[in-house]
Amino acid sequence: MADRFPSLSSAVCYLDPRAALAWLETAFGFEVSMLIEDAEGNIAHSEMRFGSGVVMVGNEWSADHKSPRSLGGKNTQTVHIQIETNLDAHCERARAAGAEILMEPETQFYGDRTYRCRDPEGHIWTVAQTVETVTHEQMEATSGLKITGWA
């Protein structure tokens, strides 16, 4: 059971988790790996996989666990997806599925090409693909930032 999860995963709440599962599959290519339903057919818990990562998708279930849609669009996290190829095509797939593209694909000073989008209930997702290996010194020179801890 311990190896079912990566060392770190995320859980996101939706007003309509069933619709969210379908949207995340269509927009990002996530795959449902677990679905638990109650006696009435409501989703009690679900998990989706992408590569070695997992995201749990569930209902609003307490005052502290809400969809951004219930909070006026406010987010307390963004979820990062790292892909290996075709970032621009991935962005177009998300756009076609109804994602609001908040940041168009752009290559960053640290060597990743990224885009950012908002899903239909307001969760913000950042998607990245490493397109260039950049040294610590190159990052500092390009960005003007002091960078520590970069492996």
Side-chain angles (χ1 to χ4, degrees), residues 126-144:
T126 300
V127 184
Q129 172 193 346
T130 301
V131 294
E132 180 182 4
T133 301
V134 181
T135 68
H136 181 259
E137 293 77 18
Q138 288 171 311
M139 283 190 285
E140 286 189 335
T142 304
S143 70

Side-chain angles (χ1 to χ4, degrees), residues 6-109:
S7 297
L8 183 65
S9 60
S10 186
V12 287
C13 296
Y14 286 89
L15 290 170
D16 187 347
R18 194 170 303 280
L21 292 173
W23 191 87
L24 292 167
E25 181 178 5
T26 300
F28 298 151
F30 292 3
E31 297 179 358
V32 175
S33 57
M34 177 185 286
L35 180 64
I36 302 172
E37 298 173 298
D38 64 18
E40 288 79 41
N42 299 309
I43 294 177
H45 178 78
S46 69
E47 296 172 11
M48 297 189 90
R49 291 223 172 246
F50 183 79
S52 62
V54 65
V55 63
M56 294 172 270
V57 176
N59 289 303
E60 296 185 325
W61 54 278
S62 78
D64 293 326
H65 298 87
K66 296 287 187 183
S67 165
R69 183 177 283 168
S70 294
L71 302 171
K74 303 298 182 207
N75 278 263
T76 60
Q77 69 170 352
T78 61
V79 184
H80 181 90
I81 306 166
Q82 188 73 28
I83 63 175
E84 294 183 14
T85 60
N86 300 321
L87 180 102
D88 291 79
H90 193 281
C91 179
E92 290 309 312
R93 175 181 177 166
R95 187 188 320 269
E100 175 190 357
I101 305 302
L102 303 173
M103 184 185 87
E104 294 290 337
E106 183 178 334
T107 302
Q108 307 299 319
F109 69 91

